PDB file of all heavy atoms in Angstrom:
ATOM      1  N   ILE Q  17       5.760   1.170   7.013  1.00 94.00           N
ATOM      2  CA  ILE Q  17       5.886   1.212   5.561  1.00 94.00           C
ATOM      3  C   ILE Q  17       4.998   2.344   5.038  1.00 94.00           C
ATOM      4  O   ILE Q  17       3.798   2.387   5.333  1.00 94.00           O
ATOM      5  CB  ILE Q  17       5.473  -0.122   4.919  1.00 94.00           C
ATOM      6  CG1 ILE Q  17       6.401  -1.250   5.399  1.00 94.00           C
ATOM      7  CG2 ILE Q  17       5.517  -0.019   3.392  1.00 94.00           C
ATOM      8  CD1 ILE Q  17       6.023  -2.621   4.859  1.00 94.00           C
ATOM      9  N   ILE Q  18       5.609   3.269   4.308  1.00 94.00           N
ATOM     10  CA  ILE Q  18       4.885   4.370   3.667  1.00 94.00           C
ATOM     11  C   ILE Q  18       4.698   4.004   2.204  1.00 94.00           C
ATOM     12  O   ILE Q  18       5.679   3.734   1.490  1.00 94.00           O
ATOM     13  CB  ILE Q  18       5.642   5.700   3.800  1.00 94.00           C
ATOM     14  CG1 ILE Q  18       5.864   6.057   5.281  1.00 94.00           C
ATOM     15  CG2 ILE Q  18       4.883   6.825   3.105  1.00 94.00           C
ATOM     16  CD1 ILE Q  18       6.693   7.313   5.494  1.00 94.00           C
ATOM     17  N   LEU Q  19       3.464   3.964   1.752  1.00 94.00           N
ATOM     18  CA  LEU Q  19       3.129   3.582   0.380  1.00 94.00           C
ATOM     19  C   LEU Q  19       2.754   4.833  -0.387  1.00 94.00           C
ATOM     20  O   LEU Q  19       1.668   5.399  -0.199  1.00 94.00           O
ATOM     21  CB  LEU Q  19       1.974   2.578   0.381  1.00 94.00           C
ATOM     22  CG  LEU Q  19       2.243   1.286   1.169  1.00 94.00           C
ATOM     23  CD1 LEU Q  19       0.960   0.516   1.396  1.00 94.00           C
ATOM     24  CD2 LEU Q  19       3.266   0.428   0.440  1.00 94.00           C
ATOM     25  N   TYR Q  20       3.645   5.277  -1.265  1.00 94.00           N
ATOM     26  CA  TYR Q  20       3.427   6.528  -1.994  1.00 94.00           C
ATOM     27  C   TYR Q  20       2.753   6.234  -3.334  1.00 94.00           C
ATOM     28  O   TYR Q  20       3.370   5.684  -4.247  1.00 94.00           O
ATOM     29  CB  TYR Q  20       4.750   7.276  -2.201  1.00 94.00           C
ATOM     30  CG  TYR Q  20       4.550   8.646  -2.799  1.00 94.00           C
ATOM     31  CD1 TYR Q  20       4.160   9.714  -2.002  1.00 94.00           C
ATOM     32  CD2 TYR Q  20       4.709   8.867  -4.154  1.00 94.00           C
ATOM     33  CE1 TYR Q  20       3.943  10.964  -2.533  1.00 94.00           C
ATOM     34  CE2 TYR Q  20       4.496  10.126  -4.702  1.00 94.00           C
ATOM     35  CZ  TYR Q  20       4.110  11.168  -3.882  1.00 94.00           C
ATOM     36  OH  TYR Q  20       3.882  12.415  -4.423  1.00 94.00           O
ATOM     37  N   GLN Q  21       1.486   6.591  -3.430  1.00 92.00           N
ATOM     38  CA  GLN Q  21       0.666   6.436  -4.630  1.00 92.00           C
ATOM     39  C   GLN Q  21       0.629   4.989  -5.120  1.00 92.00           C
ATOM     40  O   GLN Q  21       0.636   4.723  -6.325  1.00 92.00           O
ATOM     41  CB  GLN Q  21       1.136   7.377  -5.744  1.00 92.00           C
ATOM     42  CG  GLN Q  21       1.096   8.852  -5.349  1.00 92.00           C
ATOM     43  CD  GLN Q  21       1.100   9.779  -6.535  1.00 92.00           C
ATOM     44  OE1 GLN Q  21       0.360   9.586  -7.486  1.00 92.00           O
ATOM     45  NE2 GLN Q  21       1.932  10.822  -6.479  1.00 92.00           N
ATOM     46  N   LEU Q  22       0.595   4.059  -4.159  1.00 91.00           N
ATOM     47  CA  LEU Q  22       0.424   2.646  -4.500  1.00 91.00           C
ATOM     48  C   LEU Q  22      -0.163   1.924  -3.297  1.00 91.00           C
ATOM     49  O   LEU Q  22      -0.369   2.514  -2.235  1.00 91.00           O
ATOM     50  CB  LEU Q  22       1.747   2.013  -4.939  1.00 91.00           C
ATOM     51  CG  LEU Q  22       2.990   2.157  -4.041  1.00 91.00           C
ATOM     52  CD1 LEU Q  22       2.995   1.126  -2.929  1.00 91.00           C
ATOM     53  CD2 LEU Q  22       4.247   2.001  -4.867  1.00 91.00           C
ATOM     54  N   THR Q  23      -0.430   0.631  -3.457  1.00 89.00           N
ATOM     55  CA  THR Q  23      -0.923  -0.204  -2.372  1.00 89.00           C
ATOM     56  C   THR Q  23      -0.032  -1.434  -2.276  1.00 89.00           C
ATOM     57  O   THR Q  23       0.820  -1.692  -3.147  1.00 89.00           O
ATOM     58  CB  THR Q  23      -2.380  -0.639  -2.621  1.00 89.00           C
ATOM     59  OG1 THR Q  23      -2.432  -1.409  -3.830  1.00 89.00           O
ATOM     60  CG2 THR Q  23      -3.293   0.571  -2.761  1.00 89.00           C
ATOM     61  N   THR Q  24      -0.234  -2.240  -1.239  1.00 85.00           N
ATOM     62  CA  THR Q  24       0.582  -3.453  -1.098  1.00 85.00           C
ATOM     63  C   THR Q  24       0.307  -4.433  -2.234  1.00 85.00           C
ATOM     64  O   THR Q  24       1.146  -5.277  -2.555  1.00 85.00           O
ATOM     65  CB  THR Q  24       0.311  -4.134   0.250  1.00 85.00           C
ATOM     66  OG1 THR Q  24      -1.078  -4.504   0.327  1.00 85.00           O
ATOM     67  CG2 THR Q  24       0.651  -3.203   1.401  1.00 85.00           C
ATOM     68  N   GLY Q  25      -0.878  -4.301  -2.852  1.00 83.00           N
ATOM     69  CA  GLY Q  25      -1.218  -5.196  -3.954  1.00 83.00           C
ATOM     70  C   GLY Q  25      -0.370  -4.997  -5.189  1.00 83.00           C
ATOM     71  O   GLY Q  25      -0.389  -5.829  -6.109  1.00 83.00           O
ATOM     72  N   ASP Q  26       0.406  -3.912  -5.253  1.00 82.00           N
ATOM     73  CA  ASP Q  26       1.269  -3.673  -6.404  1.00 82.00           C
ATOM     74  C   ASP Q  26       2.517  -4.559  -6.398  1.00 82.00           C
ATOM     75  O   ASP Q  26       3.272  -4.566  -7.376  1.00 82.00           O
ATOM     76  CB  ASP Q  26       1.687  -2.195  -6.459  1.00 82.00           C
ATOM     77  CG  ASP Q  26       0.520  -1.292  -6.794  1.00 82.00           C
ATOM     78  OD1 ASP Q  26      -0.359  -1.730  -7.551  1.00 82.00           O
ATOM     79  OD2 ASP Q  26       0.484  -0.150  -6.296  1.00 82.00           O
ATOM     80  N   ASN Q  27       2.744  -5.273  -5.296  1.00 84.00           N
ATOM     81  CA  ASN Q  27       3.915  -6.145  -5.211  1.00 84.00           C
ATOM     82  C   ASN Q  27       3.543  -7.354  -4.355  1.00 84.00           C
ATOM     83  O   ASN Q  27       3.072  -7.202  -3.222  1.00 84.00           O
ATOM     84  CB  ASN Q  27       5.099  -5.394  -4.604  1.00 84.00           C
ATOM     85  CG  ASN Q  27       6.355  -6.233  -4.558  1.00 84.00           C
ATOM     86  OD1 ASN Q  27       6.559  -7.001  -3.616  1.00 84.00           O
ATOM     87  ND2 ASN Q  27       7.198  -6.087  -5.572  1.00 84.00           N
ATOM     88  N   LEU Q  28       3.770  -8.555  -4.871  1.00 83.00           N
ATOM     89  CA  LEU Q  28       3.346  -9.761  -4.177  1.00 83.00           C
ATOM     90  C   LEU Q  28       4.072  -9.948  -2.844  1.00 83.00           C
ATOM     91  O   LEU Q  28       3.472 -10.330  -1.839  1.00 83.00           O
ATOM     92  CB  LEU Q  28       3.588 -10.979  -5.080  1.00 83.00           C
ATOM     93  CG  LEU Q  28       2.680 -11.086  -6.312  1.00 83.00           C
ATOM     94  CD1 LEU Q  28       3.067 -12.299  -7.154  1.00 83.00           C
ATOM     95  CD2 LEU Q  28       1.218 -11.175  -5.894  1.00 83.00           C
ATOM     96  N   ALA Q  29       5.376  -9.668  -2.836  1.00 85.00           N
ATOM     97  CA  ALA Q  29       6.137  -9.828  -1.591  1.00 85.00           C
ATOM     98  C   ALA Q  29       5.643  -8.860  -0.528  1.00 85.00           C
ATOM     99  O   ALA Q  29       5.498  -9.219   0.651  1.00 85.00           O
ATOM    100  CB  ALA Q  29       7.628  -9.618  -1.864  1.00 85.00           C
ATOM    101  N   LEU Q  30       5.371  -7.642  -0.943  1.00 88.00           N
ATOM    102  CA  LEU Q  30       4.886  -6.630  -0.010  1.00 88.00           C
ATOM    103  C   LEU Q  30       3.496  -6.997   0.499  1.00 88.00           C
ATOM    104  O   LEU Q  30       3.197  -6.863   1.695  1.00 88.00           O
ATOM    105  CB  LEU Q  30       4.867  -5.265  -0.704  1.00 88.00           C
ATOM    106  CG  LEU Q  30       4.504  -4.056   0.158  1.00 88.00           C
ATOM    107  CD1 LEU Q  30       5.498  -3.891   1.295  1.00 88.00           C
ATOM    108  CD2 LEU Q  30       4.480  -2.787  -0.702  1.00 88.00           C
ATOM    109  N   LYS Q  31       2.645  -7.486  -0.397  1.00 87.00           N
ATOM    110  CA  LYS Q  31       1.283  -7.864  -0.009  1.00 87.00           C
ATOM    111  C   LYS Q  31       1.309  -9.028   0.984  1.00 87.00           C
ATOM    112  O   LYS Q  31       0.571  -9.033   1.977  1.00 87.00           O
ATOM    113  CB  LYS Q  31       0.488  -8.237  -1.249  1.00 87.00           C
ATOM    114  CG  LYS Q  31      -0.967  -8.594  -0.965  1.00 87.00           C
ATOM    115  CD  LYS Q  31      -1.721  -8.886  -2.252  1.00 87.00           C
ATOM    116  CE  LYS Q  31      -3.185  -9.196  -1.959  1.00 87.00           C
ATOM    117  NZ  LYS Q  31      -3.947  -9.464  -3.201  1.00 87.00           N
ATOM    118  N   SER Q  32       2.181  -9.990   0.730  1.00 86.00           N
ATOM    119  CA  SER Q  32       2.277 -11.147   1.621  1.00 86.00           C
ATOM    120  C   SER Q  32       2.780 -10.748   3.002  1.00 86.00           C
ATOM    121  O   SER Q  32       2.251 -11.191   4.028  1.00 86.00           O
ATOM    122  CB  SER Q  32       3.219 -12.183   1.004  1.00 86.00           C
ATOM    123  OG  SER Q  32       3.427 -13.263   1.886  1.00 86.00           O
ATOM    124  N   PHE Q  33       3.790  -9.889   3.046  1.00 88.00           N
ATOM    125  CA  PHE Q  33       4.334  -9.449   4.337  1.00 88.00           C
ATOM    126  C   PHE Q  33       3.292  -8.657   5.127  1.00 88.00           C
ATOM    127  O   PHE Q  33       3.127  -8.855   6.332  1.00 88.00           O
ATOM    128  CB  PHE Q  33       5.584  -8.599   4.110  1.00 88.00           C
ATOM    129  CG  PHE Q  33       6.128  -7.985   5.366  1.00 88.00           C
ATOM    130  CD1 PHE Q  33       6.805  -8.752   6.298  1.00 88.00           C
ATOM    131  CD2 PHE Q  33       5.955  -6.626   5.622  1.00 88.00           C
ATOM    132  CE1 PHE Q  33       7.299  -8.188   7.473  1.00 88.00           C
ATOM    133  CE2 PHE Q  33       6.441  -6.054   6.785  1.00 88.00           C
ATOM    134  CZ  PHE Q  33       7.113  -6.842   7.713  1.00 88.00           C
ATOM    135  N   ALA Q  34       2.584  -7.738   4.455  1.00 86.00           N
ATOM    136  CA  ALA Q  34       1.588  -6.917   5.141  1.00 86.00           C
ATOM    137  C   ALA Q  34       0.447  -7.766   5.680  1.00 86.00           C
ATOM    138  O   ALA Q  34      -0.106  -7.487   6.751  1.00 86.00           O
ATOM    139  CB  ALA Q  34       1.051  -5.857   4.184  1.00 86.00           C
ATOM    140  N   ALA Q  35       0.077  -8.820   4.954  1.00 84.00           N
ATOM    141  CA  ALA Q  35      -1.014  -9.684   5.398  1.00 84.00           C
ATOM    142  C   ALA Q  35      -0.617 -10.507   6.616  1.00 84.00           C
ATOM    143  O   ALA Q  35      -1.447 -10.787   7.495  1.00 84.00           O
ATOM    144  CB  ALA Q  35      -1.439 -10.602   4.252  1.00 84.00           C
ATOM    145  N   GLN Q  36       0.651 -10.919   6.698  1.00 84.00           N
ATOM    146  CA  GLN Q  36       1.103 -11.787   7.782  1.00 84.00           C
ATOM    147  C   GLN Q  36       1.516 -11.011   9.028  1.00 84.00           C
ATOM    148  O   GLN Q  36       1.552 -11.574  10.122  1.00 84.00           O
ATOM    149  CB  GLN Q  36       2.270 -12.650   7.303  1.00 84.00           C
ATOM    150  CG  GLN Q  36       1.901 -13.627   6.193  1.00 84.00           C
ATOM    151  CD  GLN Q  36       3.113 -14.344   5.641  1.00 84.00           C
ATOM    152  OE1 GLN Q  36       4.213 -14.241   6.191  1.00 84.00           O
ATOM    153  NE2 GLN Q  36       2.913 -15.081   4.546  1.00 84.00           N
ATOM    154  N   SER Q  37       1.849  -9.744   8.883  1.00 84.00           N
ATOM    155  CA  SER Q  37       2.315  -8.942  10.020  1.00 84.00           C
ATOM    156  C   SER Q  37       1.312  -7.835  10.323  1.00 84.00           C
ATOM    157  O   SER Q  37       0.349  -7.626   9.585  1.00 84.00           O
ATOM    158  CB  SER Q  37       3.685  -8.330   9.717  1.00 84.00           C
ATOM    159  OG  SER Q  37       3.558  -7.333   8.717  1.00 84.00           O
ATOM    160  N   LYS Q  38       1.542  -7.168  11.405  1.00 83.00           N
ATOM    161  CA  LYS Q  38       0.715  -6.018  11.782  1.00 83.00           C
ATOM    162  C   LYS Q  38       1.498  -4.719  11.621  1.00 83.00           C
ATOM    163  O   LYS Q  38       1.256  -3.737  12.328  1.00 83.00           O
ATOM    164  CB  LYS Q  38       0.255  -6.163  13.237  1.00 83.00           C
ATOM    165  CG  LYS Q  38      -0.608  -7.384  13.489  1.00 83.00           C
ATOM    166  CD  LYS Q  38      -1.918  -7.328  12.714  1.00 83.00           C
ATOM    167  CE  LYS Q  38      -2.801  -8.526  13.028  1.00 83.00           C
ATOM    168  NZ  LYS Q  38      -4.072  -8.496  12.271  1.00 83.00           N
ATOM    169  N   VAL Q  39       2.421  -4.692  10.673  1.00 89.00           N
ATOM    170  CA  VAL Q  39       3.245  -3.503  10.485  1.00 89.00           C
ATOM    171  C   VAL Q  39       2.351  -2.313  10.132  1.00 89.00           C
ATOM    172  O   VAL Q  39       1.422  -2.431   9.315  1.00 89.00           O
ATOM    173  CB  VAL Q  39       4.298  -3.743   9.380  1.00 89.00           C
ATOM    174  CG1 VAL Q  39       3.649  -4.034   8.032  1.00 89.00           C
ATOM    175  CG2 VAL Q  39       5.241  -2.557   9.266  1.00 89.00           C
ATOM    176  N   PRO Q  40       2.562  -1.153  10.735  1.00 92.00           N
ATOM    177  CA  PRO Q  40       1.759   0.031  10.396  1.00 92.00           C
ATOM    178  C   PRO Q  40       1.985   0.453   8.942  1.00 92.00           C
ATOM    179  O   PRO Q  40       3.092   0.329   8.407  1.00 92.00           O
ATOM    180  CB  PRO Q  40       2.279   1.103  11.364  1.00 92.00           C
ATOM    181  CG  PRO Q  40       2.932   0.342  12.470  1.00 92.00           C
ATOM    182  CD  PRO Q  40       3.492  -0.890  11.843  1.00 92.00           C
ATOM    183  N   LEU Q  41       0.920   0.954   8.312  1.00 93.00           N
ATOM    184  CA  LEU Q  41       0.974   1.382   6.916  1.00 93.00           C
ATOM    185  C   LEU Q  41       0.489   2.820   6.806  1.00 93.00           C
ATOM    186  O   LEU Q  41      -0.503   3.195   7.442  1.00 93.00           O
ATOM    187  CB  LEU Q  41       0.098   0.479   6.034  1.00 93.00           C
ATOM    188  CG  LEU Q  41       0.450  -1.009   6.003  1.00 93.00           C
ATOM    189  CD1 LEU Q  41      -0.592  -1.779   5.209  1.00 93.00           C
ATOM    190  CD2 LEU Q  41       1.835  -1.226   5.413  1.00 93.00           C
ATOM    191  N   TRP Q  42       1.185   3.604   5.996  1.00 95.00           N
ATOM    192  CA  TRP Q  42       0.781   4.985   5.735  1.00 95.00           C
ATOM    193  C   TRP Q  42       0.620   5.129   4.217  1.00 95.00           C
ATOM    194  O   TRP Q  42       1.586   5.042   3.467  1.00 95.00           O
ATOM    195  CB  TRP Q  42       1.834   5.957   6.264  1.00 95.00           C
ATOM    196  CG  TRP Q  42       1.419   7.406   6.176  1.00 95.00           C
ATOM    197  CD1 TRP Q  42       0.348   7.920   5.495  1.00 95.00           C
ATOM    198  CD2 TRP Q  42       2.054   8.522   6.790  1.00 95.00           C
ATOM    199  NE1 TRP Q  42       0.265   9.277   5.650  1.00 95.00           N
ATOM    200  CE2 TRP Q  42       1.309   9.680   6.441  1.00 95.00           C
ATOM    201  CE3 TRP Q  42       3.179   8.673   7.578  1.00 95.00           C
ATOM    202  CZ2 TRP Q  42       1.665  10.953   6.859  1.00 95.00           C
ATOM    203  CZ3 TRP Q  42       3.530   9.942   8.007  1.00 95.00           C
ATOM    204  CH2 TRP Q  42       2.780  11.074   7.660  1.00 95.00           C
ATOM    205  N   TYR Q  43      -0.623   5.339   3.786  1.00 95.00           N
ATOM    206  CA  TYR Q  43      -0.934   5.493   2.372  1.00 95.00           C
ATOM    207  C   TYR Q  43      -0.937   6.977   2.002  1.00 95.00           C
ATOM    208  O   TYR Q  43      -1.524   7.802   2.716  1.00 95.00           O
ATOM    209  CB  TYR Q  43      -2.312   4.912   2.051  1.00 95.00           C
ATOM    210  CG  TYR Q  43      -2.450   3.426   2.317  1.00 95.00           C
ATOM    211  CD1 TYR Q  43      -2.791   2.952   3.582  1.00 95.00           C
ATOM    212  CD2 TYR Q  43      -2.253   2.510   1.302  1.00 95.00           C
ATOM    213  CE1 TYR Q  43      -2.931   1.592   3.824  1.00 95.00           C
ATOM    214  CE2 TYR Q  43      -2.386   1.139   1.534  1.00 95.00           C
ATOM    215  CZ  TYR Q  43      -2.724   0.693   2.800  1.00 95.00           C
ATOM    216  OH  TYR Q  43      -2.860  -0.645   3.040  1.00 95.00           O
ATOM    217  N   ILE Q  44      -0.314   7.306   0.887  1.00 94.00           N
ATOM    218  CA  ILE Q  44      -0.344   8.664   0.343  1.00 94.00           C
ATOM    219  C   ILE Q  44      -0.826   8.554  -1.101  1.00 94.00           C
ATOM    220  O   ILE Q  44      -0.195   7.881  -1.923  1.00 94.00           O
ATOM    221  CB  ILE Q  44       1.037   9.341   0.401  1.00 94.00           C
ATOM    222  CG1 ILE Q  44       1.541   9.411   1.853  1.00 94.00           C
ATOM    223  CG2 ILE Q  44       0.976  10.741  -0.207  1.00 94.00           C
ATOM    224  CD1 ILE Q  44       2.927  10.019   2.002  1.00 94.00           C
ATOM    225  N   THR Q  45      -1.945   9.195  -1.406  1.00 93.00           N
ATOM    226  CA  THR Q  45      -2.530   9.088  -2.741  1.00 93.00           C
ATOM    227  C   THR Q  45      -2.169  10.297  -3.589  1.00 93.00           C
ATOM    228  O   THR Q  45      -1.723  11.330  -3.086  1.00 93.00           O
ATOM    229  CB  THR Q  45      -4.057   8.966  -2.673  1.00 93.00           C
ATOM    230  OG1 THR Q  45      -4.601  10.200  -2.162  1.00 93.00           O
ATOM    231  CG2 THR Q  45      -4.481   7.822  -1.783  1.00 93.00           C
ATOM    232  N   GLY Q  46      -2.398  10.142  -4.907  1.00 90.00           N
ATOM    233  CA  GLY Q  46      -2.128  11.218  -5.853  1.00 90.00           C
ATOM    234  C   GLY Q  46      -2.697  10.862  -7.209  1.00 90.00           C
ATOM    235  O   GLY Q  46      -3.546   9.968  -7.349  1.00 90.00           O
ATOM    236  N   ALA Q  47      -2.198  11.529  -8.240  1.00 89.00           N
ATOM    237  CA  ALA Q  47      -2.735  11.334  -9.580  1.00 89.00           C
ATOM    238  C   ALA Q  47      -2.472   9.926 -10.095  1.00 89.00           C
ATOM    239  O   ALA Q  47      -3.203   9.428 -10.959  1.00 89.00           O
ATOM    240  CB  ALA Q  47      -2.126  12.360 -10.535  1.00 89.00           C
ATOM    241  N   GLN Q  48      -1.409   9.240  -9.598  1.00 89.00           N
ATOM    242  CA  GLN Q  48      -1.062   7.914 -10.091  1.00 89.00           C
ATOM    243  C   GLN Q  48      -1.727   6.788  -9.303  1.00 89.00           C
ATOM    244  O   GLN Q  48      -1.541   5.617  -9.622  1.00 89.00           O
ATOM    245  CB  GLN Q  48       0.455   7.726 -10.044  1.00 89.00           C
ATOM    246  CG  GLN Q  48       1.248   8.762 -10.821  1.00 89.00           C
ATOM    247  CD  GLN Q  48       2.745   8.610 -10.605  1.00 89.00           C
ATOM    248  OE1 GLN Q  48       3.220   7.559 -10.217  1.00 89.00           O
ATOM    249  NE2 GLN Q  48       3.487   9.680 -10.849  1.00 89.00           N
ATOM    250  N   SER Q  49      -2.506   7.121  -8.286  1.00 89.00           N
ATOM    251  CA  SER Q  49      -3.073   6.090  -7.413  1.00 89.00           C
ATOM    252  C   SER Q  49      -4.208   5.345  -8.094  1.00 89.00           C
ATOM    253  O   SER Q  49      -5.010   5.929  -8.836  1.00 89.00           O
ATOM    254  CB  SER Q  49      -3.588   6.727  -6.110  1.00 89.00           C
ATOM    255  OG  SER Q  49      -2.536   7.299  -5.375  1.00 89.00           O
ATOM    256  N   ASN Q  50      -4.278   4.050  -7.819  1.00 89.00           N
ATOM    257  CA  ASN Q  50      -5.417   3.227  -8.217  1.00 89.00           C
ATOM    258  C   ASN Q  50      -6.414   3.255  -7.066  1.00 89.00           C
ATOM    259  O   ASN Q  50      -6.233   2.584  -6.052  1.00 89.00           O
ATOM    260  CB  ASN Q  50      -4.962   1.796  -8.515  1.00 89.00           C
ATOM    261  CG  ASN Q  50      -6.087   0.940  -9.063  1.00 89.00           C
ATOM    262  OD1 ASN Q  50      -7.235   1.033  -8.642  1.00 89.00           O
ATOM    263  ND2 ASN Q  50      -5.751   0.085 -10.023  1.00 89.00           N
ATOM    264  N   LEU Q  51      -7.473   4.070  -7.211  1.00 90.00           N
ATOM    265  CA  LEU Q  51      -8.390   4.304  -6.098  1.00 90.00           C
ATOM    266  C   LEU Q  51      -9.203   3.060  -5.750  1.00 90.00           C
ATOM    267  O   LEU Q  51      -9.598   2.886  -4.589  1.00 90.00           O
ATOM    268  CB  LEU Q  51      -9.307   5.477  -6.428  1.00 90.00           C
ATOM    269  CG  LEU Q  51      -8.598   6.826  -6.633  1.00 90.00           C
ATOM    270  CD1 LEU Q  51      -9.607   7.935  -6.884  1.00 90.00           C
ATOM    271  CD2 LEU Q  51      -7.729   7.179  -5.418  1.00 90.00           C
ATOM    272  N   SER Q  52      -9.454   2.190  -6.715  1.00 89.00           N
ATOM    273  CA  SER Q  52     -10.186   0.952  -6.408  1.00 89.00           C
ATOM    274  C   SER Q  52      -9.370   0.085  -5.457  1.00 89.00           C
ATOM    275  O   SER Q  52      -9.891  -0.428  -4.454  1.00 89.00           O
ATOM    276  CB  SER Q  52     -10.492   0.191  -7.698  1.00 89.00           C
ATOM    277  OG  SER Q  52     -11.348   0.948  -8.527  1.00 89.00           O
ATOM    278  N   ASP Q  53      -8.083  -0.096  -5.754  1.00 90.00           N
ATOM    279  CA  ASP Q  53      -7.215  -0.867  -4.857  1.00 90.00           C
ATOM    280  C   ASP Q  53      -7.064  -0.167  -3.509  1.00 90.00           C
ATOM    281  O   ASP Q  53      -7.021  -0.822  -2.460  1.00 90.00           O
ATOM    282  CB  ASP Q  53      -5.840  -1.051  -5.496  1.00 90.00           C
ATOM    283  CG  ASP Q  53      -5.889  -1.975  -6.712  1.00 90.00           C
ATOM    284  OD1 ASP Q  53      -6.926  -2.648  -6.901  1.00 90.00           O
ATOM    285  OD2 ASP Q  53      -4.898  -1.996  -7.473  1.00 90.00           O
ATOM    286  N   PHE Q  54      -6.974   1.167  -3.533  1.00 91.00           N
ATOM    287  CA  PHE Q  54      -6.835   1.951  -2.298  1.00 91.00           C
ATOM    288  C   PHE Q  54      -8.043   1.732  -1.387  1.00 91.00           C
ATOM    289  O   PHE Q  54      -7.895   1.480  -0.187  1.00 91.00           O
ATOM    290  CB  PHE Q  54      -6.676   3.429  -2.656  1.00 91.00           C
ATOM    291  CG  PHE Q  54      -6.681   4.360  -1.476  1.00 91.00           C
ATOM    292  CD1 PHE Q  54      -5.576   4.485  -0.656  1.00 91.00           C
ATOM    293  CD2 PHE Q  54      -7.802   5.122  -1.179  1.00 91.00           C
ATOM    294  CE1 PHE Q  54      -5.565   5.348   0.431  1.00 91.00           C
ATOM    295  CE2 PHE Q  54      -7.813   5.994  -0.098  1.00 91.00           C
ATOM    296  CZ  PHE Q  54      -6.691   6.101   0.705  1.00 91.00           C
ATOM    297  N   ASN Q  55      -9.250   1.795  -1.948  1.00 91.00           N
ATOM    298  CA  ASN Q  55     -10.466   1.609  -1.149  1.00 91.00           C
ATOM    299  C   ASN Q  55     -10.615   0.174  -0.659  1.00 91.00           C
ATOM    300  O   ASN Q  55     -11.126  -0.072   0.445  1.00 91.00           O
ATOM    301  CB  ASN Q  55     -11.695   1.996  -1.969  1.00 91.00           C
ATOM    302  CG  ASN Q  55     -11.771   3.493  -2.235  1.00 91.00           C
ATOM    303  OD1 ASN Q  55     -11.294   4.299  -1.441  1.00 91.00           O
ATOM    304  ND2 ASN Q  55     -12.359   3.870  -3.360  1.00 91.00           N
TER     305      ASN Q  55
END
């Protein structure tokens, strides 16, 4: 899952799936990113 300027916390279904699985995640940040959630 590639997360473009967001985190799994931006969607409950996505957050739940990521927490239960070990699926690889690729974060890409930018001007719209919430850096607190990213960190």
Side-chain angles (χ1 to χ4, degrees):
I17 298 177
I18 301 176
L19 302 166
Y20 187 80
Q21 301 199 47
L22 52 82
T23 61
T24 60
D26 291 327
N27 183 275
L28 290 177
L30 185 61
K31 182 177 182 179
S32 175
F33 174 74
Q36 296 173 9
S37 69
K38 298 297 183 181
V39 62
L41 300 174
W42 187 348
Y43 298 86
I44 301 178
T45 66
Q48 303 174 21
S49 296
N50 186 321
L51 298 183
S52 296
D53 291 347
F54 173 76
N55 291 331

